[in-house]
Amino acid sequence: MMTAQHDAIPETALEWHRSGGVAIATVIETWGSAPRPAGSQLAVAADGRMAGSVSGGCVEGAVVAEVDDAITSGRSRILEFGVSDDEAFSVGLACGGRIRVLLEPIGGENGIPEDILVALTDLRAQRIPALYRVNICTWERQIDVSGGVGLDLVAQQRMVSDRSGLDGDWFVAVHNPPLRMIVVGAVHIAQSLVKMAWLTGYEPTLVDPRSAFASSARFPGETMITEWPDEAIPALKPDTRTAVVTLTHDPKIDDAAIQATLPTPAFYIGCLGSVRTHDKRCRRLIDAGVDDDQLARLNAPVGLDISARTPAEIAVAIMAEVTETLRKFRDQE
């Protein structure tokens, strides 16, 4: 499974642990205008390699300074940092804040046991939702893989909203499967969009029955399905962590994709085309039995209005609107 590097901290830490010491730093609590939310992680190897971040760069140095002792002693610890207004401004924030960071070596007296980390990475590889819990007083650790069944209400809400955080003495880290993006139409815009999807934590899948478009030469290394969308999309089972974007401008393909997606809980459905094109699309869909509530789910013309012109700029606009929709959707959950 390909994953954006900033989201692959457990996997990176396990690899580095097997070739030397490593510690994982995790933001567990923030106040004010903190640069990174709870759950953000940084892996630091004994040889100085780093992956991820716990701030915009203003506290990483202080965290790294603690790593050698944490690895040598095998003891986890809580670090607290204040971010001054000047430091905050340097990373694009209006004002400062405070951050609490959990620093856990792999192994040792009260670090993360290797078998816990192995279990977590295995679950992530299988796309199984999991909660990693650590008691910051006793250093007891556990993994919950019930996927929401049997969890208390707070834990369920954390999984749905993707929000890690403290529950009393327990820090709860949410490890949901990566977000997905189904891109219908292996067109020029899609070449930029799938790259941006990877960078922002999505696993993209291209759907296009036209093999001349959906070729490995045009999309090296990408997952492509050359079936018609009315067959491909139901098989992909879009869920609340899935965005679907139609880009072909061909009603036979795009309309089929829309109709296959509307019965699903996909959080975003975006359709390329002008206002006039979308009006025609809506009339066709109404004739096909789609109701007004379903039509209201469509984001068209696709993307935020940033006066985009080039394929890459349009892809930026699409990715921005997908992000905006995701955040609003999660806040409502």
Side-chain angles (χ1 to χ4, degrees), residues 94-243:
C95 58
R98 299 194 67 79
I99 307 170
R100 290 180 78 197
V101 174
L102 168 64
L103 185 61
E104 300 174 280
I106 310 305
E109 182 179 333
N110 58 28
I112 305 173
E114 182 178 349
D115 60 346
I116 290 282
L117 189 59
V118 169
L120 180 60
T121 57
D122 285 347
L123 290 168
R124 285 166 56 92
Q126 297 174 63
R127 299 184 63 89
I128 298 175
L131 295 176
Y132 166 73
R133 302 175 186 262
V134 53
N135 188 303
I136 61 175
C137 293
T138 66
W139 302 117
E140 178 185 354
R141 293 172 174 86
Q142 59 190 48
I143 295 177
D144 194 315
V145 296
S146 61
V149 179
L151 297 179
D152 59 63
L153 181 60
V154 173
Q156 291 179 41
Q157 291 173 337
R158 288 201 179 283
M159 296 201 80
V160 170
S161 62
D162 252 342
R163 289 180 177 168
S164 304
L166 281 170
D167 293 333
D169 292 334
W170 288 86
F171 174 68
V172 182
V174 177
H175 291 268
N176 274 320
L179 295 157
R180 293 190 296 159
M181 178 177 289
I182 301 171
V183 180
V184 179
V187 297
H188 196 177
I189 296 169
Q191 290 177 306
S192 295
L193 184 58
V194 294
K195 294 176 182 176
M196 295 178 190
W198 281 118
L199 288 171
T200 46
Y202 290 75
E203 289 185 353
T205 299
L206 285 157
V207 175
D208 198 322
R210 306 167 299 178
S211 57
F213 285 82
S215 69
S216 57
R218 286 167 51 79
F219 295 91
E222 299 295 343
T223 300
M224 290 177 286
I225 299 175
T226 54
E227 298 175 352
W228 283 85
D230 56 348
E231 298 176 355
I233 290 179
L236 289 169
K237 298 180 180 179
D239 55 19
T240 58
R241 299 180 60 77
T242 307

Side-chain angles (χ1 to χ4, degrees), residues 85-101:
D85 287 350
D86 287 343
E87 290 172 320
F89 183 78
S90 71
V91 293
L93 300 171
C95 58
R98 299 194 67 79
I99 307 170
R100 290 180 78 197
V101 174

Side-chain angles (χ1 to χ4, degrees), residues 1-76:
M1 178 181 70
M2 187 184 299
T3 307
Q5 185 183 27
H6 61 273
D7 290 325
I9 301 304
E11 292 78 9
T12 300
L14 183 59
E15 178 186 347
W16 290 353
H17 166 68
R18 287 170 172 169
S19 60
V22 67
I24 299 176
T26 307
V27 177
I28 62 171
E29 196 170 18
T30 65
W31 299 267
S33 185
R36 296 276 280 144
S40 302
Q41 291 191 310
L42 167 71
V44 184
D47 61 10
R49 286 176 291 174
M50 297 170 57
S53 67
V54 289
S55 77
C58 43
V59 304
E60 266 74 7
V63 171
V64 171
E66 294 275 347
V67 167
D68 282 345
D69 185 64
I71 293 173
T72 301
S73 67
R75 294 181 179 178
S76 298

